[in-house]
């Protein structure tokens, strides 16, 4: 199958050729013709499957025939869960649209940066807006954006969006949109929240499911290294010196660990950067940019970087801390070995993480043989803290999100205020 046979115009074929895409990925093969037909789509697609081009190419194809935007109207709206993805998807769209016959206006809208620039950029309308829900609603509230002319809505990483507690904001956005529109929903998994959303949102959608085997590519080598918890930084330093990876993405469980590990490496003369939610948006963007361009060789990140972020030629991902869920594991390691490249994913497995790693293996249906590195062998004795804790692993999804807590506090305050009156 070729891009030409999918019915794409010359201006798109030209940019695909420039990008070196030889043929469509399975998701593109199925999604592009259906979207061109005007159908709603429900696609099970992971990041790395080529889904961004899967929805962008047909949207661009249809936009050629549409009128340029006016006022502060938007023609196509892509909703994403994180700021980084908003930037990345908008950049990808601009790449695919390089030879668009007229000047195409696209905009990434996300929080954590000044709203004024985004308000100004919205003037004259936009062909495509890629947005995180909260900031988009701020713009709607300020009458800076009008969503009543949206013809196509894309929900990217829908499972993630609901996981992050966007349900209410999504509802508010849907209220702003016209009823007549095309809806394209992409989700790695279909938990209950997503299922309900799809029923309310989609009109006889074309369902696309790409076989899950491709989730962990064959050329991605997974390794599990047993080590004591308090020996992990020493081992990390040793591996960095020994292996001399051109670049490595190190995942940790918290912002504090990210900063700690960075500091410890720094004291040993190893330069690294961090990426986590406590940094300003400018710092986050800069860290990613430095990593993408190769200026930064070692990036220590929380799960903020696990989803969707596309770093070309990344040879190694290391789980310094194990991720909370098997799905996050797949997302993290999927940052390497993309688009046919070779990659390695290392996981430090301490006694505390043993049971959890077994669960991950069970879910991904793969067994990864355990290794020990000479000089850093894991002690035979299982710490008491582990034996005492057994059976008390935290349940994902049961913890209240920051937003839930804020909502609860607001409800409590309203209740108290009402009682006072
Ligand atoms: P995505 O799943 O949209 O994040 O895309 C993953 C990566 O695959 C990106 O680096 C794209 O540039 C690349 N890609 C998308 N479609 C193709 C294609 N048909 N051929 C080669 N690479 C592609």
């Amino acid at each position: 199958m070729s891009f030409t046979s999918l019915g794409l115009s010359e201006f798109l074929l030209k940019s695909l050729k420039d990008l070196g895409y030889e043929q469509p990925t399975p998701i593109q093969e199925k999604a592009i013709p259906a979207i061109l037909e005007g159908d709603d789509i429900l696609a099970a697609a992971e990041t790395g499957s080529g889904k961004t081009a899967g929805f962008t190419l047909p949207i661009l194809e249809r936009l050629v025939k549409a009128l340029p935007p006016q006022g502060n109207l938007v023609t196509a709206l892509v909703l994403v869960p994180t700021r980084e993805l908003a930037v990345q998807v908008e950049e990808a769209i601009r790449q695919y649209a390089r030879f668009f016959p007229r000047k195409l206006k696209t905009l990434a809208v996300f929080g954590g940066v000044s709203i004024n620039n985004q308000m100004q950029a919205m003037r004259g309308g936009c062909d495509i807006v890629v947005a995180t829900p909260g900031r988009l609603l701020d713009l709607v509230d300020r009458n800076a954006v009008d969503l009543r002319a949206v013809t196509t809505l894309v929900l990217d990483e829908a499972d993630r969006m609901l996981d992050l507690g966007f349900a209410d904001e999504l509802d508010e956005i849907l209220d702003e949109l016209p009823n007549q529109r095309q809806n394209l929903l992409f989700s790695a998994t279909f938990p209950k929240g997503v299922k309900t959303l799809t029923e309310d949102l989609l009109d006889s959608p074309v369902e696309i499911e790409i076989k899950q085997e491709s989730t962990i590519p064959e050329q991605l080598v997974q390794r599990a290294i047993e080590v004591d918890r308090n020996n992990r930084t020493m081992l990390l330093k040793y591996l960095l010196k020994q292996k001399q990876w051109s670049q490595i993405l190190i995942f940790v469980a918290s912002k504090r660990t990210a900063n700690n590990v960075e500091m410890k490496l720094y004291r040993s003369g190893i330069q690294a950067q961090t990426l986590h939610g406590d940094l300003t948006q400018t710092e986050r963007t800069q860290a990613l940019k430095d990593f993408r361009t190769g200026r930064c060789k070692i990036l220590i990140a929380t799960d903020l970087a696990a989803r969707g972020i596309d770093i070309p030629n990344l040879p190694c991902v290391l789980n310094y801390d194990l991720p909370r869920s098997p799905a996050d594991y797949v997302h993290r390691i999927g940052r390497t070995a993309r688009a046919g490249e070779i990659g390695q994913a290392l996981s430090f497995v301490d006694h505390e993480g043993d049971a959890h790693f077994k669960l991950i293996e069970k879910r991904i249906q793969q067994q990864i043989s355990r290794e020990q590195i000479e000089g850093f062998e894991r002690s035979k004795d299982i710490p008491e803290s582990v034996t005492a804790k057994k059976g008390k692993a935290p349940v994902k999804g049961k913890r209240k999100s920051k937003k839930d807590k804020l909502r609860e506090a607001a409800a409590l305050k309203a209740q108290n205020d009402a009682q006072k009156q």
Side-chain angles (χ1 to χ4, degrees):
M1 173 82 69
S2 69
F3 281 111
T4 323
S5 59
L6 291 179
L8 297 175
S9 295
E10 203 49 49
F11 79 94
L12 289 172
L13 297 177
K14 198 167 165 209
S15 60
L16 294 171
K17 191 161 174 243
D18 273 13
L19 287 165
Y21 295 6
E22 282 166 10
Q23 59 188 53
T25 64
I27 184 92
Q28 291 163 0
E29 225 171 76
K30 294 201 166 126
I32 292 172
I35 299 174
L36 287 175
E37 279 290 309
D39 289 325
D40 275 7
I41 293 278
L42 175 60
E46 301 270 355
T47 349
S49 58
K51 68 185 155 106
T52 316
F55 61 77
T56 303
L57 298 173
I59 287 179
L60 291 171
E61 183 73 47
R62 300 188 86 193
L63 274 175
V64 184
K65 290 157 207 144
L67 289 172
Q70 330 163 3
N72 50 2
L73 294 168
V74 175
T75 315
L77 175 64
V78 184
L79 293 176
V80 293
T82 67
R83 299 160 186 182
E84 280 71 20
L85 263 181
V87 173
Q88 185 179 298
V89 169
E90 196 262 344
E91 272 172 9
I93 293 174
R94 265 191 286 134
Q95 267 197 335
Y96 298 129
R98 240 183 309 169
F99 303 108
F100 199 76
R102 65 171 163 82
K103 196 168 166 7
L104 187 85
K105 209 168 140 207
T106 61
L107 183 65
V109 159
F110 50 89
V113 291
S114 149
I115 195 167
N116 291 338
N117 292 344
Q118 292 171 0
M119 287 174 70
Q120 256 174 18
M122 266 313 305
R123 284 194 198 141
C126 255
D127 289 286
I128 308 177
V129 165
V130 186
T132 53
R135 176 52 66 91
L136 182 67
L137 283 172
D138 287 344
L139 288 174
V140 170
D141 286 345
R142 292 172 191 227
N143 292 324
V145 58
D146 188 339
L147 301 177
R148 284 175 298 179
V150 168
T151 53
T152 310
L153 169 71
V154 181
L155 284 189
D156 197 7
E157 309 248 347
D159 54 340
R160 187 66 170 167
M161 299 196 65
L162 290 163
D163 194 29
L164 289 177
F166 285 123
D168 292 347
E169 287 170 343
L170 267 182
D171 276 349
E172 278 183 61
I173 292 171
L174 293 178
D175 281 347
E176 298 292 325
L177 298 173
N179 290 332
Q180 269 294 332
R181 57 167 200 266
Q182 185 177 28
N183 302 292
L184 315 174
L185 195 144
F186 294 83
S187 192
T189 51
F190 288 94
K192 224 168 146 204
V194 178
K195 264 260 148 358
T196 320
L197 182 73
T198 62
E199 281 152 21
D200 294 349
L201 193 72
L202 303 175
D203 181 17
S204 336
V206 172
E207 295 194 19
I208 301 173
E209 187 151 12
I210 304 300
K211 277 209 158 159
Q212 288 298 312
E213 284 120 47
S214 60
T215 319
I216 299 177
E218 258 172 47
Q219 75 281 8
L220 199 170
V221 179
Q222 297 172 73
R223 296 173 57 189
I225 304 175
E226 292 184 338
V227 59
D228 283 326
R229 197 168 180 74
N230 52 15
N231 242 349
R232 288 176 302 167
T233 314
M234 293 300 287
L235 176 58
L236 173 62
K237 285 187 214 164
Y238 170 81
L239 288 173
L240 289 174
K241 290 212 168 117
Q242 238 232 342
K243 303 285 178 193
Q244 297 284 325
W245 289 292
S246 59
Q247 273 197 309
I248 180 169
L249 176 59
I250 302 170
F251 280 107
V252 292
S254 68
K255 303 161 192 170
R256 227 181 87 214
T257 315
N259 291 333
N260 270 339
V261 175
E262 184 207 18
M263 181 57 76
K264 285 180 187 159
L265 292 183
Y266 180 75
R267 287 200 193 118
S268 303
I270 304 170
Q271 289 276 352
Q273 284 190 34
T274 57
L275 177 65
H276 54 68
D278 262 1
L279 303 178
T280 63
Q281 188 52 43
T282 319
E283 289 168 332
R284 279 161 66 165
T285 311
Q286 189 61 43
L288 252 183
K289 193 170 163 211
D290 287 350
F291 197 56
R292 236 186 231 136
T293 55
R295 256 191 72 189
C296 157
K297 306 278 179 227
I298 304 170
L299 186 67
I300 308 167
T302 56
D303 277 300
L304 191 77
R307 290 242 178 182
I309 301 301
D310 185 32
I311 298 137
N313 306 313
L314 177 64
C316 188
V317 167
L318 172 94
N319 290 314
Y320 180 93
D321 287 314
L322 291 177
R324 282 171 65 202
S325 72
D328 285 340
Y329 176 81
V330 175
H331 280 292
R332 281 184 179 188
I333 69 172
R335 298 309 98 213
T336 181
R338 288 165 82 76
E341 292 157 9
I342 292 168
Q344 239 188 79
L346 275 58
S347 297
F348 284 171
V349 185
D350 51 25
H351 283 297
E352 288 80 352
D354 240 350
H356 189 51
F357 197 71
K358 281 190 192 125
L359 182 79
I360 291 174
E361 287 179 297
K362 197 171 152 198
R363 291 280 169 79
I364 63 168
Q365 296 177 354
Q366 287 189 18
Q367 270 206 333
I368 302 152
S369 56
R370 304 291 191 272
E371 302 170 36
Q372 308 244 3
I373 307 277
E374 206 183 322
F376 300 91
E377 290 85 354
R378 197 169 79 172
S379 57
K380 295 266 179 294
D381 305 328
I382 300 175
E384 223 173 82
S385 56
V386 175
T387 33
K389 251 196 211 158
K390 266 201 169 147
K392 282 194 181 168
V395 182
K396 191 171 187 234
K398 290 272 154 121
R399 243 179 34 192
K400 281 179 193 160
S401 68
K402 224 194 264 175
K403 268 188 193 149
D404 285 341
K405 284 182 196 159
L406 284 175
R407 266 188 218 120
E408 277 182 13
L412 195 69
K413 186 173 174 299
Q415 206 181 352
N416 286 341
D417 289 350
Q419 276 168 4
K420 271 185 213 151
Q421 279 168 10

